[in-house]
Amino acid sequence: MAYFWKVTSCILLLSLVGSYAAPCDEYSELDDAWRSVNVRPTSGNYHCDRGLTAGWYRFTGPAGDRMPSTAPESNSRCGTHSPVWLNGGEHPSIADGVVTRVACAVNSLISAITCSQSWQIQVAACSGGFYVYNLTQTPACNLAYCVENSVAVHNSICYKVPDRPAVDQQSSVQECSDMAGSLAIIKDTATQSFVANSDLVGQRGPNLWVDIKSPVNIYLYGDNSPLQGQQLWAANQPPEFCVYMDSGADYKFTVATCSEEHGFICQSGTVACQQDVCQNGGICGSCFAETHKVCGCQPGFTGDRCE
């Protein structure tokens, strides 16, 4: 009987793992440029997802790679009259597995009504650093799923601010590693200003952990002799200090204990694309394990794909 229970438990565990892994391996891609949160539809040319086949989808292409978790600035964005965004919390981590979120449609007449229609969808984070969404067709037209870009490129380095709950500094290091990147190293004011003025921080404006830690702190007595001996300290003392980009100070550096919880910014170098998506002789570079691609265009061509 004990042997049978162990075998049954293993089968059940494999079944549960398989059910989680499947969305990250079996999905369709939506790469429509018009889905971008920055695209306003032309008069009378409103897109609609009323006919979308239900299933797991990954957003790719120039529009972006994830649904926004804050409402677009207005209706008539994302190539449609009522853009659909992700309400009900941040994107999940890999450890969260498949989670349920609320899809909200901005009212087509009054932008201040950011959730005039809603329905449930599922979301999962995948080990390649991307998300997949279990989407259904929208209840009416003209409603369509909206997309934003989670990555910006500066000096051939890709930067990403994950839409995740705040974490301590050490956890942010691991989160970036799970996305095939590393916690960002910001060494100059130009890069700091780039982050502060990019779409990465959005309207939420989180503080962002970066990869800076203070050396071992030296504490001095009144006679300037150093304090020595860990046995003099209480448990978990003295604290370790780390650095984050302070959203309340135009993303200048601020020191805090490493155990505080903040957002974080990851970085990844660019490498040649395994699958070239650039047109007209553009040079294709990818980062975060091929989850984001950028094109260097030849003279006379512009656009995300040098079209």
Side-chain angles (χ1 to χ4, degrees), residues 34-37 39-41 45-50 67-68 71-86 103-119 137-147:
W34 54 262
R35 292 186 184 276
S36 170
V37 70
V39 172
R40 292 181 179 273
N45 186 25
Y46 297 107
H47 294 277
C48 180
D49 281 326
R50 184 72 176 87
M67 291 181 64
E73 293 179 0
S74 66
N75 52 25
S76 295
R77 294 280 182 149
C78 311
T80 189
H81 210 176
S82 294
V84 179
W85 57 286
L86 193 68
C104 278
V106 179
N107 186 276
S108 61
L109 299 177
I110 306 173
S111 298
I113 303 176
T114 59
C115 199
S116 60
Q117 298 185 66
S118 65
W119 58 97
Q137 66 178 10
T138 55
C141 284
N142 291 303
L143 283 70
Y145 292 104
C146 196
V147 183

Side-chain angles (χ1 to χ4, degrees), residues 14-291:
L14 288 173
S15 176
L16 290 173
V17 171
S19 66
Y20 163 63
C24 294
D25 298 327
E26 302 173 6
Y27 55 81
S28 300
E29 293 190 4
L30 294 175
D31 60 358
D32 311 289
W34 54 262
R35 292 186 184 276
S36 170
V37 70
N38 297 315
V39 172
R40 292 181 179 273
T42 56
S43 180
N45 186 25
Y46 297 107
H47 294 277
C48 180
D49 281 326
R50 184 72 176 87
L52 184 71
T53 301
W56 285 96
Y57 289 91
R58 173 185 173 184
F59 293 107
T60 61
D65 54 8
R66 71 183 182 193
M67 291 181 64
S69 58
T70 56
E73 293 179 0
S74 66
N75 52 25
S76 295
R77 294 280 182 149
C78 311
T80 189
H81 210 176
S82 294
V84 179
W85 57 286
L86 193 68
N87 198 358
E90 299 93 344
H91 279 74
S93 65
I94 293 175
D96 293 328
V98 177
V99 301
T100 299
R101 293 289 186 263
V102 176
C104 278
V106 179
N107 186 276
S108 61
L109 299 177
I110 306 173
S111 298
I113 303 176
T114 59
C115 199
S116 60
Q117 298 185 66
S118 65
W119 58 97
Q120 290 188 336
I121 63 174
Q122 292 179 305
V123 189
C126 301
S127 59
F130 61 92
Y131 301 105
V132 289
Y133 304 81
N134 192 6
L135 304 177
T136 61
Q137 66 178 10
T138 55
C141 284
N142 291 303
L143 283 70
Y145 292 104
C146 196
V147 183
E148 67 179 4
N149 213 325
S150 66
V151 175
V153 182
H154 177 69
N155 290 339
S156 299
I157 301 292
C158 293
Y159 295 95
K160 174 186 285 192
V161 176
D163 182 27
R164 301 282 178 81
V167 295
D168 60 72
Q169 202 265 1
Q170 186 56 47
S171 296
S172 71
V173 172
Q174 184 59 53
E175 291 266 14
C176 290
S177 177
D178 290 342
M179 298 176 194
S182 59
L183 194 61
I185 297 175
I186 310 295
K187 289 188 173 182
D188 55 75
T189 56
T191 305
Q192 191 176 50
S193 178
F194 168 79
V195 172
N197 294 296
S198 71
D199 292 334
L200 292 175
V201 295
Q203 299 176 7
R204 291 177 293 115
N207 297 324
L208 304 173
W209 283 124
V210 292
D211 198 5
I212 305 174
K213 287 186 176 181
S214 67
V216 176
N217 295 300
I218 298 176
Y219 291 85
L220 302 177
Y221 289 106
D223 61 2
N224 289 324
S225 62
L227 185 158
Q228 296 179 339
Q230 183 61 41
Q231 66 274 15
L232 294 172
W233 289 99
N236 301 317
Q237 293 294 323
E240 186 178 24
F241 292 98
C242 296
V243 174
Y244 65 83
M245 301 178 74
D246 190 341
S247 63
D250 200 25
Y251 288 91
K252 301 295 185 182
F253 289 160
T254 293
V255 173
T257 57
C258 300
S259 60
E260 283 190 16
E261 294 186 343
H262 297 290
F264 54 97
I265 181 168
C266 308
Q267 71 176 44
S268 170
T270 53
V271 298
C273 299
Q274 295 180 14
Q275 181 179 0
D276 194 342
V277 298
C278 302
Q279 304 174 28
N280 300 305
I283 305 301
C284 185
S286 68
C287 55
F288 291 105
E290 287 280 307
T291 61

